[in-house]
């Protein structure tokens, strides 16, 4: 006859150690749960701040004191804005998804953004960085320059931002920190792919760190295997990024500004045919709105009204004077 | 139990206040247990189990200010997890058919008692044994505090009371006392299922 203790012991011993969940599941759930936690805490802080502000206002009236101090009721710090939306995309604040409006909507901590179907969108972060979401991607803005990539593919361009600005992208499969660069990060479960178009990216994954350099593609499979490949800055794989590029306001700017922007967006080197052509590009002032055109289309449309022209030769965007255009066939 | 619920309410309040450490503590404590809880209800579908647990965490955190401490926080999470599983089956995301858990079987007591008997090679016995293992894991997961770990260390890993005391940062007497309470909780939980 077994005692109670013996039965407890034999049951537990027979069952053995409980199964540990897979690490990739843990990481993925952690990212989502942490995002929900941050969002909840942020909303609660806002609500409490509102309550305190209300209470303070009542108190002020009750004692009829004209106070110079006013309670802090400023909205949460703006982390960025929607810069461009193509196709289907949604924004969630407080767990409710709604269509993303292409209206420079301000984004605060805890807001989630996702693209559906073939939708793509661009975010302009407050630090000056540009972030693009490929189709079927979901991110959450967590803090200044910090994003959670839940799933899908994003592209980060911090080149136009001040040198102190840095973007950190946290995913269930690792964390990427840019070091002044353009890069793409794709996550699918525990698999992660980093493509660096320009500059350097530091990647932390499961306690290990590595650096991705310009022209490199680094892929991690879910078992921890790493593979490296080359990818040129003007490779066709980057085309999706150009399509959703938010065009800066070019009205009143010199043509050289647009030309430099197009070269950067398309991953091409820039070459002026001569110093004379370069100085001419600084003199010609652009007018009009071309914000909904892709970079090369915009360049073509703008330069058509000037005596300058541009063409792609290999990996270089060459700018020349129309008068030097070779005669047609 | 009252003390545990008091601790759980304090943990919930800290999480609502945005305390990162509290969130990490909750996640590390609950994630493995909820994953096993969900997987037992989504057999052979770890991806679905992961999604269910993710939904559970997100829903629970969203509603955390409605947690009043009527039950242990883990029990409250399990309830949300059950609903998420039910929603999943209702949507017919993946046809898993009706799942019968051991605690739903009329002869559950006999199955548990059979564990004390010598092992049998009969396939039916093997299936029962597997179900018992799952139930034991579920009971260990549902025990308060670190009781489940302490019992596993003692009976599966064969650690001494002194070693367990070291892991729990307790004195030996306190660890022995905790093991006694853990055994009692385990026995009560098993009996409560029957």
């Amino acid at each position: 006859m077994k005692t109670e203790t013996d039965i407890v012991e034999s049951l537990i011993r027979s069952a053995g150690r409980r199964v540990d969940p897979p690490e990739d599941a843990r990481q993925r759930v952690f990212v989502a749960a942490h995002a929900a936690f941050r969002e909840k805490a942020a909303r609660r802080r806002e609500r409490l701040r509102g309550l305190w502000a209300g209470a303070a206002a009542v108190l002020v009236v009750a004692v009829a004191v004209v106070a110079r101090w006013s309670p802090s009721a400023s909205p949460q710090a703006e982390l960025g804005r929607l810069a461009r939306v193509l196709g289907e995309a949604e924004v969630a604040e407080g767990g409710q998804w709604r269509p993303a409006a292409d209206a420079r909507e301000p984004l605060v901590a805890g807001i989630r953004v996702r693209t559906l179907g073939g939708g793509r969108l661009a975010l302009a972060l407050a630090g000056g960085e540009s972030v693009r979401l490929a189709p079927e991607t979901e991110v959450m803005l967590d803090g200044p320059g910090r994003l959670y990539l839940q799933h899908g593919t994003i592209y980060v361009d911090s080149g136009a931002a001040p040198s102190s600005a840095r973007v950190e992208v946290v995913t269930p499969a690792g964390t990427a920190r840019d070091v002044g660069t353009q890069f793409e990060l794709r996550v699918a479960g525990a698999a992660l792919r980093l493509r660096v178009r320009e500059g350097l990216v530091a990647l932390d994954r499961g306690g290990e760190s590595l650096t991705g350099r310009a022209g490199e593609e680094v892929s991690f499979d879910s078992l921890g295997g790493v593979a490296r490949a080359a990818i040129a800055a003007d490779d066709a794989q980057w085309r999706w990024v150009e399509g959703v590029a938010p065009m800066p306001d070019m009205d009143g700017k010199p043509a050289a500004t647009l030309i430099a922007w197009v070269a950067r967006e398309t991953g091409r080197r820039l070459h002026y045919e001569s110093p004379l052509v370069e100085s001419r590009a600084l003199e010609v002032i652009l007018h009009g709105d071309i914000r909904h055109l892709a970079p090369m289309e915009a360049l073509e449309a703008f330069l058509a009204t000037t005596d300058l022209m541009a063409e792609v030769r290999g990996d270089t965007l060459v700018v020349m004077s129309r008068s030097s255009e070779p005669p047609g066939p | 139990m009252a003390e545990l619920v008091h601790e759980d309410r304090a943990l919930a309040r800290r999480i609502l206040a945005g305390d990162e450490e509290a969130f990490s503590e909750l996640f590390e404590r609950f994630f493995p247990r909820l994953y096993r809880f969900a997987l037992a209800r989504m057999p052979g579908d770890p991806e679905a189990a992961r999604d269910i647990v993710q939904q559970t965490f997100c829903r629970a955190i969203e509603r955390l200010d409605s947690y009043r401490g009527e039950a242990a926080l883990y029990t409250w999470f399990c309830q949300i997890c059950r609903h998420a599983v039910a929603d999943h089956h209702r949507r017919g995301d993946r046809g898993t058919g009706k799942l019968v858990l051991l605690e739903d079987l009329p002869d559950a007591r006999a199955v548990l008692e059979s564990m004390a008997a010598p092992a049998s090679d009969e396939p039916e016995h093997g299936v029962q044994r597997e179900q018992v293992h799952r139930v034991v894991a579920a009971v260990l997961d549902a025990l308060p505090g670190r009781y489940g770990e302490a019992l596993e260390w003692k009976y599966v890993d064969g650690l001494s009371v002194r070693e367990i005391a070291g892991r729990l940062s307790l004195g030996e007497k306190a660890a022995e006392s905790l093991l006694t309470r853990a055994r009692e909780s385990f026995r009560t939980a098993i009996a409560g299922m029957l």
Side-chain angles (χ1 to χ4, degrees), chain A residues 44-80:
Chain A
R44 198 160 180 272
R45 270 196 302 273
E46 270 304 292
R47 194 160 53 86
L48 290 175
R49 195 176 292 156
L51 288 173
W52 277 109
V58 168
L59 185 63
V60 166
V61 170
V63 297
V65 171
V66 179
R68 299 183 72 156
W69 171 86
S70 66
S72 167
S74 62
Q76 256 186 292
E78 182 181 316
L79 299 179

Side-chain angles (χ1 to χ4, degrees), chain B residues 12-25:
Chain B
R13 276 197 298 271
R14 286 169 57 207
I15 290 167
L16 286 168
D19 184 329
E20 291 274 354
E21 269 188 35
F23 169 78
S24 295
E25 183 187 333

Side-chain angles (χ1 to χ4, degrees), chain A residues 4 17-19 34 40, chain B residues 20 36 62 141 157 187:
Chain A
E4 295 279 355
R17 176 161 281 287
R18 288 169 287 176
V19 176
H34 191 252
K40 177 75 177 175
Chain B
E20 291 274 354
R36 289 186 286 264
E62 178 61 31
D141 281 338
D157 299 342
R187 192 188 59 74

